[in-house]
Amino acid sequence: TPATKAAVGFLANAGALDLDGLRIDCQTSFATITATSLDGQPLRRAQRILITSVGRAENTAQGFWPPTEQQLRWTPVAWMLPGEGRPPVIAEPIQATVRLDVAGPAAVYSLDSTGKRQARLNVAGDSGTVQFNPAQADSIWCEVVVED
């Protein structure tokens, strides 16, 4: 949609993707990268944009048991979860170049799980684009803020 763009799958194999204003060149094998306008405007006019970058993730100390032969006949993904683990969730950093068309000069911040801004990321770009690597955030969430 004009206010949300997303790519999901084996993005490293897909090569560079152009989603009409969101360009992704991902090096992480499997990933989901989503850009969502936080003010309801189309991404190109939005003042605040949430970027979510997720790959493999699991709880700390989470465990898996491989399926038995009989379970494999039922379903090829019958792995057992004997230990659900505990917080925090360990998430694979998504190595990618994310380039977003924006309404002016912009800053990018990593966000914590409550949405609070953390560190400001190093970005490249000009007054109409912002480019960054989401792995720099040490978070699955980033906020792009167009500066007035």
Side-chain angles (χ1 to χ4, degrees), residues 30-124:
F30 185 88
T32 298
I33 300 175
T34 305
T36 304
S37 169
L38 294 175
D39 58 15
Q41 294 296 315
L43 288 174
R44 292 175 194 254
R45 293 197 315 257
Q47 298 298 301
R48 294 178 54 232
I49 301 165
L50 176 66
I51 305 291
T52 305
S53 305
V54 182
R56 294 178 297 163
E58 63 183 50
N59 292 333
T60 298
Q62 183 173 322
F64 293 98
W65 284 346
T68 65
E69 287 186 34
Q70 181 178 0
Q71 290 168 328
L72 277 175
R73 286 192 294 276
W74 298 332
T75 175
V77 292
W79 286 78
M80 303 295 284
L81 182 65
E84 62 189 37
R86 63 183 184 286
V89 173
I90 300 167
E92 176 182 25
I94 302 303
Q95 295 287 343
T97 300
V98 174
R99 184 179 170 112
L100 184 65
D101 292 344
V102 291
V108 179
Y109 299 92
S110 65
L111 302 176
D112 69 12
S113 62
T114 68
K116 182 179 176 186
R117 288 182 188 165
Q118 301 297 298
R120 186 172 174 156
L121 304 184
N122 294 324
V123 299

